[in-house]
């Protein structure tokens, strides 16, 4: 098959050589520091330090500055992070609040323009063109997955269907009636949509779908493969967080080997979450970002709590020079400590989604019995794949328990459920129910 030529949205910047990029980053860090010190947040964080923007001579010099944490942003709620006159603000967004009080980010018109450009650039990188029909199945509102992708998709000229999250039968109807070619969706919701499509007796041939764009939650390679098989299309990973605008911070190119971080807009660092020390390329740690182009809420060395690594090879065959981030391997704040062992829900997902008899939904239940942690993994089985009797169910349960133990090193109970027993996810999945009293 002839390969499609590489297309760029902004070729000059996307292929900029590293030296020029670092020069640009340095200038922008200096400007960002100037701006940031106008907010109460940074007046507080910089108090007692002499911050001299002109002393920043390279992006590495950022290391002399303090981190900004989610708690700092929570303390600054609702306006302490604002660095411009409120009259210049045209929009605000807030994080989903997955891990507590949500954080607020303000945008000027220029901020929104830049964010829109980054999303357009990301979508073109994945091969989207103005001939595509883009159905956005992320919820619209304070959450950034809706409006963020919407503006970028429109900007690059696609027809956008602002479907929002949920209402699955209607989503499927829209996909068929308007010949949707790209959907933007959380992987957990995509698993549910795939089930409903199958229940309706439809197959990929009933759709014109060409690509999936996945974002907003961690998921494993096994889930991606499973969904690519169900929909018979390629999936692209889209990463972002509301503190860094939202989606469009990093996105996969057609090589599907990591996500290019838009380093003209963000400096990315990987640190050891325990010590705060920078880690070399290739080592897994916490992702830290500094905004480079934002006016209303500049953020410096923001600790995302997301765990990932920088992929070492500098050049990607797609021609882009911006470094790549691995998939997000988990969040430091969704790490579970079970009988002293660190376990990420994504590890459990990885094990389950590789087993063909496992359906699309699962839940992790934690209890404490006689001061011992007990984990129960509740797993929906796949109706189509599994037609066995009691002994086969018992064997499946044993096989799941065994694979889980191999991966996470703690034993668990496994409960097999009929398809459709657990509440389906229509946005960010909530997989863990922790009933352990502290
Ligand atoms: P919250 O922290 O409340 O969930 P956001 O709505 O801003 O706030 O979501 C951002 C978070 O979602 C990221 O920090 C990350 O944990 C997760 N996320 C976003 N995109 C991806 C992705 N492609 N892969 C894994 N996790 C992602
Ligand atoms: Zn690439």
């Amino acid at each position: 098959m002839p390969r499609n030529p590489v297309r760029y949205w902004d070729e000059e910047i996307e292929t900029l050589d590293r030296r020029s990029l670092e020069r640009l980053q340095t200038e922008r860090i200096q400007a960002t520091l100037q701006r940031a010190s106008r907010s109460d947040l940074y007046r507080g964080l910089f108090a007692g330090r002499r911050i001299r923007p002109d002393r920043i001579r390279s992006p590495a010099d950022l290391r002399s500055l303090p981190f900004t944490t989610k708690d700092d942003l929570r303390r600054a709620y609702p306006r302490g992070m604002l660095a411009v006159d409120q009259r210049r603000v045209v929009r605000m967004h807030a994080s989903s609040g997955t891990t507590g009080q949500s954080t607020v980010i303000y945008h000027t018109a220029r901020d929104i323009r830049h964010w829109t450009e980054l999303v357009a650039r990301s979508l073109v990188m994945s091969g989207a063109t103005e001939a595509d029909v883009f159905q956005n199945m992320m919820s619209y509102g304070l959450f950034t997955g809706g409006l963020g992708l919407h503006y970028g998709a429109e900007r690059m000229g696609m027809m956008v269907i602002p479907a929002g999250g949920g209402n699955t039968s209607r989503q499927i109807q829209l996909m068929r009636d308007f010949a949707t070619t790209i959907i933007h969706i959380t992987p957990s919701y995509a698993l549910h949509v795939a089930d409903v499509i199958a229940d309706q007796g439809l197959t990929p041939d009933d759709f014109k779908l060409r690509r999936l764009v996945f974002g907003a939650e961690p998921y494993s390679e096994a889930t991606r493969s499973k969904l690519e098989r169900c929909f018979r299309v390629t999936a692209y990973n889209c990463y972002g967080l509301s503190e860094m605008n939202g989606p469009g911070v990093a996105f996969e190119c057609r090589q599907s080997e990591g996500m290019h971080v838009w380093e003209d807009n963000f400096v990315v660092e990987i640190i050891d979450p325990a010590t705060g020390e920078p880690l070399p390329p290739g080592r897994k740690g916490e992702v830290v970002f500094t905004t480079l182009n934002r006016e209303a809420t500049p953020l410096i060395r923001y600790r995302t709590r997301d765990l990932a690594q920088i992929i070492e090879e500098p050049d990607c065959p797609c021609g882009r020079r911006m470094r790549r981030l691995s998939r997000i391997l988990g969040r430091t704040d969704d790490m579970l400590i079970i009988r002293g062992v660190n376990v990420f829900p994504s590890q459990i997902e990885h094990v389950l989604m590789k087993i063909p008899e496992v359906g699309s939904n699962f839940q992790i239940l934690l209890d404490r019995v006689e001061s011992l942690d007990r984990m129960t993994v509740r797993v929906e089985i796949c109706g189509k794949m599994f037609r066995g009797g009691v002994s086969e169910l018992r064997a499946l349960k044993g096989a799941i328990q065994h694979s889980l133990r191999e991966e996470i090193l703690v034993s668990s109970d496994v409960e097999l459920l009929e398809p459709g027993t657990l509440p389906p996810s229509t946005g960010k999945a909530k997989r863990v129910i922790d009933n352990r009293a502290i």
Side-chain angles (χ1 to χ4, degrees):
M1 220 170 70
R3 283 182 58 88
N4 292 325
V6 177
R7 286 181 64 242
Y8 301 102
W9 174 255
D10 188 343
E11 181 165 356
E12 193 182 330
I13 198 87
E14 289 173 55
T15 58
L16 199 64
D17 65 279
R18 297 293 314 175
R19 277 260 294 285
S20 312
L21 180 64
E22 288 191 2
R23 208 173 313 122
L24 180 69
Q25 287 185 319
T26 307
E27 282 164 20
R28 289 184 173 176
I29 292 170
Q30 293 170 346
T32 296
L33 285 173
Q34 304 275 17
R35 267 187 235 128
S37 49
R38 290 180 211 136
S39 70
D40 290 344
L41 170 69
Y42 284 103
R43 264 200 294 272
L45 286 174
F46 291 168
R49 291 167 178 263
R50 264 177 67 74
I51 303 286
R52 295 269 311 266
D54 56 315
R55 289 273 167 83
I56 302 283
R57 304 233 162 76
S58 80
D61 291 342
L62 265 180
R63 288 179 196 163
S64 60
L65 301 174
F67 293 116
T68 309
T69 64
K70 212 171 179 95
D71 284 337
D72 293 327
L73 282 183
R74 286 179 177 148
R75 272 194 291 275
Y77 182 92
R79 253 178 294 276
M81 61 299 270
L82 190 57
V84 296
D85 188 316
Q86 163 117 32
R87 280 172 298 192
R88 295 198 51 220
V89 174
V90 300
R91 202 197 297 169
M92 63 161 284
H93 274 288
S95 70
S96 315
T98 312
T99 58
Q101 145 99 56
S102 61
T103 52
V104 176
I105 298 295
Y106 296 94
H107 299 275
T108 64
R110 178 176 175 274
D111 291 337
I112 297 283
R113 246 185 347 262
H114 283 297
W115 179 14
T116 300
E117 286 292 307
L118 295 184
V119 173
R121 209 195 262 182
S122 302
L123 290 165
V124 168
M125 176 162 65
S126 72
T129 73
E130 56 284 352
D132 279 302
V133 176
F134 182 86
Q135 189 165 328
N136 194 6
M137 300 193 187
M138 295 276 187
S139 72
Y140 280 66
L142 288 175
F143 173 58
T144 53
L147 288 173
L149 255 280
H150 181 107
Y151 274 62
E154 242 180 44
R155 170 83 179 94
M156 59 148 292
M158 290 196 276
M159 172 169 127
V160 182
I161 307 177
N167 206 343
T168 310
S169 302
R170 180 139 178 275
Q171 299 277 9
I172 294 170
Q173 188 76 44
L174 289 168
M175 284 168 74
R176 296 187 73 195
D177 292 350
F178 299 98
T180 300
T181 57
I182 305 179
I183 61 176
H184 176 221
I185 188 167
T186 60
S188 58
Y189 186 37
L191 286 164
H192 179 63
V193 172
D195 276 354
V196 178
I197 287 176
D199 286 348
Q200 293 185 355
L202 300 170
T203 70
D205 294 333
D206 296 304
F207 298 87
K208 294 277 180 287
L209 208 59
R210 295 200 303 132
R211 293 190 167 80
L212 304 166
V213 174
F214 285 152
E217 62 187 14
Y219 62 104
S220 66
E221 205 48 57
T223 297
R224 184 216 294 249
S225 312
K226 179 170 179 148
L227 285 164
E228 287 184 333
R229 273 197 310 277
C230 285
F231 287 96
R232 267 193 250 140
V233 293
T234 314
Y236 291 87
N237 198 0
C238 166
Y239 170 71
L241 56 160
S242 54
E243 293 85 349
M244 296 294 126
N245 298 340
V249 174
F251 204 99
E252 270 178 333
C253 67
R254 299 183 76 178
Q255 305 297 321
S256 296
E257 277 170 39
M259 302 177 281
H260 288 284
V261 179
W262 297 128
E263 290 179 280
D264 56 324
N265 276 257
F266 307 99
V267 175
V268 58
E269 298 172 75
I270 303 287
I271 61 159
D272 179 334
T275 63
E277 285 306 307
L279 290 174
R283 286 277 301 282
K284 171 181 151 186
E286 181 177 349
V287 185
V288 171
F289 286 117
T290 299
T291 65
L292 293 179
N293 229 348
R294 230 171 37 190
E295 294 180 319
T297 315
L299 291 183
I300 292 149
R301 303 197 83 203
Y302 179 70
R303 292 185 64 157
T304 63
R305 307 189 187 186
D306 290 328
L307 297 168
Q309 69 206 47
I310 297 279
I311 293 174
E312 219 156 342
E313 310 105 73
D315 295 328
C316 181
C318 80
R320 292 176 182 83
R321 309 299 287 277
M322 312 244 179
R323 285 185 302 167
R324 280 166 291 159
L325 201 61
S326 69
R327 69 171 43 260
I328 304 299
L329 306 161
R331 306 167 59 135
T332 55
D333 48 12
D334 73 11
M335 185 179 79
L336 305 167
I337 302 181
I338 304 169
R339 278 173 254 140
V341 181
N342 299 347
V343 175
F344 287 96
S346 53
Q347 290 175 287
I348 295 175
E349 178 197 298
H350 184 69
V351 169
L352 295 177
M353 293 302 148
K354 277 201 297 203
I355 302 173
E357 292 88 348
V358 167
S360 52
N361 211 345
F362 69 94
Q363 206 174 52
I364 302 162
L365 213 68
L366 295 169
D367 288 296
R368 189 161 287 153
V369 183
E370 288 167 6
S371 70
L372 257 188
D373 295 338
R374 194 181 59 189
M375 173 167 73
T376 309
V377 183
R378 311 180 71 207
V379 183
E380 285 185 8
I381 56 172
C382 168
K384 262 199 323 281
M385 300 290 295
F386 195 79
R387 311 217 183 281
V390 176
S391 60
E392 273 124 306
L393 281 175
R394 200 176 301 127
L396 174 61
K397 191 169 148 171
I400 295 175
Q401 265 168 332
H402 178 76
S403 313
L404 281 174
R405 208 191 134 69
E406 295 245 290
E407 168 76 26
I408 61 176
L409 311 174
V410 240
S411 51
S412 53
D413 289 335
V414 169
E415 216 178 281
L416 299 182
L417 305 170
E418 273 186 47
T421 316
L422 297 170
S425 158
T426 55
K428 280 182 193 257
K430 187 154 175 34
R431 302 267 191 217
V432 182
I433 300 179
D434 196 341
N435 293 323
R436 295 176 295 183
I438 311 283

